[in-house]
Amino acid sequence: MTNHKNIVPPIAKKIPHKLEAHGDTRTDNYFWMKNREHPEVLSYLQAENEYCDLKMKHTKKFQTDLFEEMKARIKEDDSSVPYKYNGYWYITKFEKGKDYPIYTRKKDSLENPEELLFDCNKMAEGHNYFKLAGISISPDNKLVSYGIDTTGRRNYTIHIKNIETGNVASDRVVNTSGSSSWASDNKTLFYTKKDEITLRSYQIYRHKLGDTNDSLVFEEGDDTFGVTVYKSKSRKYIIIACYSTVTNEYHILNADKPDGKFEVFQPRRRGLEYSISHYKNDFYILTNKDKATNFKLMKVPETDRAIKKWEEIIPHREDVLLENIDIFKDYLVISERSNGLNQIRVKRWDDTQDYYLPFDNETYTCYTSVNVEFDTEILRYGYNALTTPSSVIDFNMRTKTKVILKEQEVLGGDFNKDNYISERIWAEAEDGTKIPMSLVYKKGLKKDGSNPLLQYAYGSYGSTVDPYFSTIRLSLLDRGFIYVIAHIRGGEYLGRQWYEDGKLLKKKNTFTDFIACSIHLIKQRYTSSSHLYAMGGSAGGLLMGVIINEAPELYNGVVAAVPFVDVVTTMLDDSIPLTTGEYDEWGNPNDILYYNYMKSYSPYDNVTAKDYPNMLITTGLNDSQVQYWEPAKWVAKLRDLKTDNKQLYLKTNMDAGHGGASGRFESLKEDAEEFAFLFDLEGISS
């Protein structure tokens, strides 16, 4: 048996590299790791993997048991609720023992024979990573375009398949976003091309079936913007969307005239955000125009779209965030958020009905689902809560009756939602702001400070982590863990201002909010610092990096997945994917004000000689969003400077990207490893 206490961690060599900006010099001893062709880079990552495996070898059986336990709760032979589009019912299903989805459809009735569109299990053979995306059916239902990524870098090759014959055309487009849209003629396809180096989506092309020379119809010259192309729900328009963090611009083309010229909808104005939906002879516009921080709904005739003609339909409200709309022939459905809670409002165009769907919980998630049909009175929406598995519901907007089409099955026979308690509590931040948290734990738990607690958050880009149900999480709850989602600033849980107060020069609110939540949980005796754990990924991994620098004594262990931790260096390098588009989120460090602010919190720049918590850090070699070298350099620097003997592991998936493993159950192995790490720190071994 290996005595894992005597296993020595890999020590990365130091090659000092000076980085200068604004008269300031930073020395990066591990800058060399950025070169993925460097033979020592791969050997270092592999050495870290081997070290992690050896140190966690005693948990391997437990990891396998956890994997099987999680997998056993999931229905293997499962299928989605069918949705109807253009005369066909579309279904996604999984078969027992298979990792990837199978896409099928049935004409007119669900009783009719099934047509196979894609069996991703066969398509994935021979690939360590496989992802199919952007399925788009031609208006005559005969052709399908789709994108395939086999590296995990979210760089897709578009293919076109004849559904009737099964033949895949020789037409093939590389370096795309994967998605595409058909014009009405069934032979013209619009798609988005990516820059080969930065992976920024920046060009829209027109492709004619059988042609080898595609026409460039739009190029985005501003490298802080990305672009995409899609079809309006009314099917009348092909729409190009140009987007940055705080500005939008749309271009439209009649889908019946694919060789025509796109017209700008409303020229970009910095800070003007808007999105468009077409209905009858008007466009409906969700926008922050005229300082509508939480957005309002406006409309304008499709023939005269000048901004001065925009007419207000739903005004701006200080206490309600207008998130989305779904347009139907007779109904407008509005997705809102009030005091952190999702709301769905249904309104007839003729004003004879206007009401909200009733929900009676403080820790739930609801959202409108796949609603591609225009002429229907059925709204499909989803609902789940921390203690309640997800359900898909068809709601008749006229009669206000609902049919639960599918409830998520939790297999294994021992799950009962009444065995768990969820609650929402509020901590007080440094500046007096109240920060909400959603909690779930097993009934009978005593608040005596002895409970292990896992605190999760993201807190960037206005992305809100709603309180959702997870079968995987049951493995934590059933072993006595409390699970907490901290709704910190930087998300939009309490409206758009909640996001504004957690970005740019207010970014530190995100970090201090999380720490305030941890302190509150300890004070209220949900847990104690010797049993408190934190987890976050990507920008949430940045959060993990900051809290271990600022308040390492609060946490016994931290899991940081694909963490964005070398903020200054990355944001100064505009050749890295996504950098330029991030300036509105983090600031542009070419400006000394932002440079100094970023440097003051950047986890990598602020590692010092002190005790840190136990840590598991994960990354993917092919990650296009947070490059592998950020966590690798961070671990090397932590190993060099930390003054404790606690665990520090770096685990690199050598085949995957930002989203981790591609197979349905492969990702569960990563979850099992993370949970085993936490359980081991708590002395839980089965």
Side-chain angles (χ1 to χ4, degrees):
M1 182 176 171
T2 309
N3 182 356
H4 67 262
K5 287 181 181 173
N6 297 330
I7 300 164
V8 180
I11 302 298
K13 70 176 181 182
K14 294 180 186 177
I15 305 176
H17 180 90
K18 294 208 177 326
L19 298 160
E20 296 182 7
H22 306 293
D24 178 52
T25 301
R26 293 176 301 132
T27 301
D28 186 350
N29 289 323
Y30 307 104
F31 190 83
W32 61 272
M33 289 189 188
K34 189 176 173 181
N35 179 5
R36 71 174 72 229
E37 307 303 320
H38 197 302
E40 289 185 48
V41 170
L42 284 182
S43 63
Y44 171 70
L45 295 177
Q46 280 157 348
E48 284 285 2
N49 277 355
E50 287 164 14
Y51 173 72
C52 177
D53 287 341
L54 279 169
K55 289 284 278 184
M56 289 187 67
K57 189 176 181 182
H58 63 291
T59 71
K60 281 297 181 216
K61 183 184 181 302
F62 190 20
Q63 287 182 46
T64 303
D65 292 345
L66 283 168
F67 168 75
E68 294 297 343
E69 174 181 300
M70 293 173 189
K71 187 179 174 187
R73 293 194 194 104
I74 298 169
K75 192 165 188 243
E76 287 198 57
D77 50 340
D78 201 7
S79 62
S80 65
V81 177
Y83 69 87
K84 198 172 191 185
Y85 178 70
N86 201 19
Y88 281 82
W89 289 95
Y90 287 88
I91 303 151
T92 307
K93 61 184 182 180
F94 287 93
E95 292 182 348
K96 194 172 176 69
K98 294 184 178 177
D99 251 335
Y100 294 95
I102 297 165
Y103 296 93
T104 66
R105 70 177 187 178
K106 297 181 178 186
K107 190 173 183 180
D108 297 329
S109 164
L110 287 167
E111 308 305 313
N112 283 334
E114 194 170 66
E115 286 181 52
L116 177 67
L117 297 174
F118 304 103
D119 183 344
C120 293
N121 298 287
K122 288 184 177 165
M123 297 167 77
E125 286 173 6
H127 299 291
N128 291 325
Y129 180 95
F130 179 86
K131 182 89 175 185
L132 181 142
I135 295 173
S136 180
I137 308 285
S138 62
D140 64 4
N141 291 310
K142 293 179 179 177
L143 301 170
V144 57
S145 57
Y146 56 98
I148 290 176
D149 171 19
T150 55
T151 67
R153 280 185 73 75
R154 300 185 182 181
N155 207 353
Y156 292 85
T157 299
I158 289 176
H159 304 259
I160 298 166
K161 179 177 176 178
N162 184 311
I163 302 171
E164 294 175 337
T165 66
N167 293 332
V168 178
S170 57
D171 308 49
R172 191 153 303 192
V173 192
V174 297
N175 295 328
T176 79
S177 66
S179 61
S180 53
S181 291
W182 292 92
S184 305
D185 64 358
N186 300 297
K187 63 183 182 186
T188 306
L189 196 65
F190 293 90
Y191 65 87
T192 311
K193 197 95 164 146
K194 287 187 168 189
D195 180 285
E196 287 187 48
I197 297 169
T198 66
L199 300 183
R200 178 173 72 96
S201 298
Y202 78 115
Q203 292 176 325
I204 306 296
Y205 277 85
R206 179 194 292 119
H207 173 77
K208 298 275 188 186
L209 286 184
D211 280 6
T212 51
N213 293 320
D214 294 353
S215 309
L216 176 67
V217 295
F218 182 83
E219 180 164 352
E220 177 53 68
D222 185 335
D223 62 7
T224 67
F225 277 75
V227 295
T228 188
V229 62
Y230 64 96
K231 203 171 195 175
S232 66
K233 186 173 172 180
S234 65
R235 304 179 199 171
K236 184 172 179 179
Y237 289 98
I238 302 290
I239 301 173
I240 294 173
C242 311
Y243 54 87
S244 76
T245 308
V246 296
T247 309
N248 300 97
E249 180 181 83
Y250 290 82
H251 300 252
I252 61 173
L253 175 69
N254 191 311
D256 291 338
K257 300 172 182 175
D259 294 324
K261 195 169 182 208
F262 279 87
E263 295 176 14
V264 67
F265 185 91
Q266 158 60 36
R268 66 190 66 176
R269 294 182 184 176
R270 179 161 173 81
L272 176 66
E273 295 178 63
Y274 71 97
S275 60
I276 58 176
S277 301
H278 177 251
Y279 171 67
K280 288 190 175 174
N281 300 316
D282 297 301
F283 278 99
Y284 285 77
I285 308 152
L286 204 59
T287 181
N288 68 347
K289 181 179 178 288
D290 301 326
K291 299 181 179 175
T293 309
N294 275 336
F295 291 78
K296 59 185 174 183
L297 186 65
M298 307 185 82
K299 81 169 182 178
V300 71
E302 62 183 343
T303 51
D304 185 2
R305 304 179 301 274
I307 196 165
K308 62 186 178 191
K309 298 284 179 70
W310 293 12
E311 172 195 346
E312 192 169 274
I313 302 296
I314 298 175
H316 174 255
R317 290 159 290 173
E318 291 290 338
D319 58 344
V320 178
L321 175 66
L322 193 51
E323 291 192 311
N324 200 10
I325 60 168
D326 287 274
I327 283 182
F328 297 87
K329 186 181 171 205
D330 295 321
Y331 294 89
L332 171 66
V333 177
I334 304 132
S335 297
E336 303 178 346
R337 186 182 292 274
S338 176
N339 194 31
L341 306 179
N342 304 125
Q343 296 182 322
I344 297 176
R345 179 182 174 190
V346 177
K347 185 179 184 330
R348 267 190 75 96
W349 291 112
D350 63 11
D351 288 329
T352 57
Q353 283 182 304
D354 188 348
Y355 58 90
Y356 286 89
L357 271 60
F359 301 107
D360 57 353
N361 198 323
E362 272 202 331
T363 56
Y364 72 89
T365 299
C366 72
Y367 50 91
T368 62
S369 182
V370 182
N371 289 287
V372 289
E373 279 292 352
F374 183 68
D375 186 3
T376 178
E377 56 190 25
I378 302 298
L379 167 72
R380 180 166 293 177
Y381 73 92
Y383 176 89
N384 68 85
L386 284 171
T387 57
T388 308
S390 60
S391 50
V392 179
I393 297 156
D394 268 3
F395 178 78
N396 188 305
M397 295 181 277
R398 179 177 52 82
T399 64
K400 298 187 185 177
T401 54
K402 68 180 184 183
V403 177
I404 298 175
L405 300 173
K406 180 177 181 179
E407 284 186 278
Q408 179 184 3
E409 290 183 60
V410 183
L411 302 185
D414 56 354
F415 172 75
N416 180 346
K417 67 180 183 181
D418 295 330
N419 291 338
Y420 304 89
I421 292 174
S422 68
E423 55 179 310
R424 184 166 71 158
I425 63 173
W426 303 71
E428 188 170 314
E430 282 184 350
D431 61 3
T433 304
K434 294 282 191 287
I435 313 299
M437 291 178 270
S438 298
L439 288 72
V440 63
Y441 50 85
K442 201 152 187 192
K443 209 175 257 184
L445 177 137
K446 289 185 174 65
K447 294 172 190 171
D448 59 6
S450 69
N451 305 301
L453 185 150
L454 179 58
Q455 182 182 335
Y456 175 85
Y458 184 71
S460 290
Y461 304 103
S463 177
T464 301
V465 182
D466 281 309
Y468 65 98
F469 182 79
S470 162
T471 60
I472 295 164
R473 190 189 299 139
L474 295 174
S475 292
L476 286 173
L477 304 183
D478 290 347
R479 289 175 175 84
F481 265 76
I482 300 171
Y483 185 82
V484 178
I485 300 169
H487 304 294
I488 54 182
R489 282 174 283 187
E492 275 183 356
Y493 186 77
L494 290 179
R496 177 59 181 237
Q497 194 59 46
W498 202 245
Y499 169 42
E500 299 294 337
D501 289 342
K503 65 189 272 202
L504 297 173
L505 297 173
K506 295 181 180 178
K507 188 66 218 170
K508 287 184 184 177
N509 284 337
T510 301
F511 317 133
T512 54
D513 284 1
F514 190 90
I515 291 168
C517 288
S518 300
I519 291 168
H520 183 80
L521 290 163
I522 291 169
K523 274 187 180 167
Q524 297 302 310
R525 296 185 59 73
Y526 284 95
T527 190
S528 59
S529 57
S530 56
H531 298 288
L532 178 56
Y533 302 91
M535 180 185 278
S538 197
L542 161 66
L543 169 63
M544 297 300 103
V546 176
I547 64 164
I548 65 161
N549 283 335
E550 296 295 321
E553 71 286 350
L554 287 178
Y555 307 97
N556 188 35
V558 170
V559 177
V562 291
F564 171 44
V565 284
D566 191 9
V567 183
V568 182
T569 310
T570 290
M571 292 304 296
L572 280 168
D573 185 351
D574 60 13
S575 73
I576 293 175
L578 305 181
T579 291
T580 52
E582 303 280 296
Y583 291 156
D584 288 326
E585 179 72 23
W586 312 101
N588 184 344
N590 294 298
D591 176 335
I592 191 168
L593 177 67
Y594 289 105
Y595 175 87
N596 287 333
Y597 188 75
M598 279 180 196
K599 188 183 171 188
S600 73
Y601 69 74
S602 172
Y604 184 62
D605 290 293
N606 288 283
V607 174
T608 56
K610 63 182 169 194
D611 285 7
Y612 282 93
N614 295 286
M615 296 190 69
L616 171 63
I617 296 157
T618 65
T619 185
L621 184 62
N622 298 321
D623 197 327
S624 61
Q625 287 185 262
V626 177
Q627 308 298 323
Y628 71 87
W629 60 77
E630 290 200 35
K633 292 188 339 178
W634 185 40
V635 168
K637 191 171 182 180
L638 280 165
R639 280 215 194 289
D640 183 46
L641 291 177
K642 75 189 189 86
T643 52
D644 59 83
N645 295 317
K646 292 179 188 146
Q647 297 168 23
L648 173 60
Y649 304 143
L650 172 67
K651 197 65 189 281
T652 305
N653 186 323
M654 306 302 272
D655 299 315
H658 197 65
S662 63
R664 179 166 57 140
F665 298 120
E666 280 303 303
S667 61
L668 290 182
K669 292 176 181 171
E670 295 170 355
D671 294 318
E673 185 169 44
E674 290 168 4
F675 284 12
F677 170 75
L678 298 173
F679 289 142
D680 195 40
L681 294 174
E682 279 294 312
I684 298 169
S685 57
S686 65

